Amino acid sequence: MYKTALAAIVSLGVLSVPVLAKSGVKTGVLDCDVSAGVGMIIGSSKTVHCTFKKGNGSVEHYEGKLGKLGVDIGVTNEASMAWIVFAPGKVGKGALAGSYTGATAEATVVAGLGANVLVGGFEKSINLQPVSISGKTGLNVAAGLASLSLDYAD
């Protein structure tokens, strides 16, 4: 019963995530290691260390925070998340630095599933479309708004 309820919550949350048009050009993939954390019922904040792999093979590093505002109850271990990066054209060095926001929904019962579709960066012109979540373990349910703040670290 408990697992069925969690699956229903995740399904509703993932389906309610607004699908953003993949505007612009795919410029690369942003891979982030997310710290372990505890959901504090109305939100959470976790440290991220990210690597942006551009389509031309170059690599940039970013550090920041992944936050959630809304229902966030439970504990999760470290995880990895990846987003495909869409931008209006070629992105310069450090162009992903900035703030991103969007909807989030996830559930973790031993292993987790979730989605964070985010928009932001330079003039809110960069879309981050989720590709994968791996290594996420714990017991957690979350739905609401997500924010990602990135600082260029190279």
Side-chain angles (χ1 to χ4, degrees), residues 4 6 16 21 28 41 46 61 65 68 72 76 79-80 82-83 96 104 110 117 125 135 145 148-149:
T4 303
L6 282 176
S16 70
I41 300 178
K46 298 175 183 177
H61 299 280
K65 296 276 184 191
K68 292 181 190 144
D72 190 358
T76 56
S80 296
W83 290 272
L96 297 188
T104 186
V110 181
V117 179
S125 63
L145 295 175
L148 176 65
S149 175

Side-chain angles (χ1 to χ4, degrees), residues 34-37 44 46 66 68 72-81 104-116 132-142:
V34 182
S35 66
S44 64
K46 298 175 183 177
L66 177 64
K68 292 181 190 144
D72 190 358
I73 303 170
V75 177
T76 56
N77 296 323
E78 293 178 359
S80 296
M81 300 180 78
T104 186
E106 67 182 61
T108 305
V109 179
V110 181
L113 169 69
N116 296 284
S132 68
I133 299 176
S134 62
K136 185 168 191 163
T137 59
L139 179 61
N140 190 65
V141 175

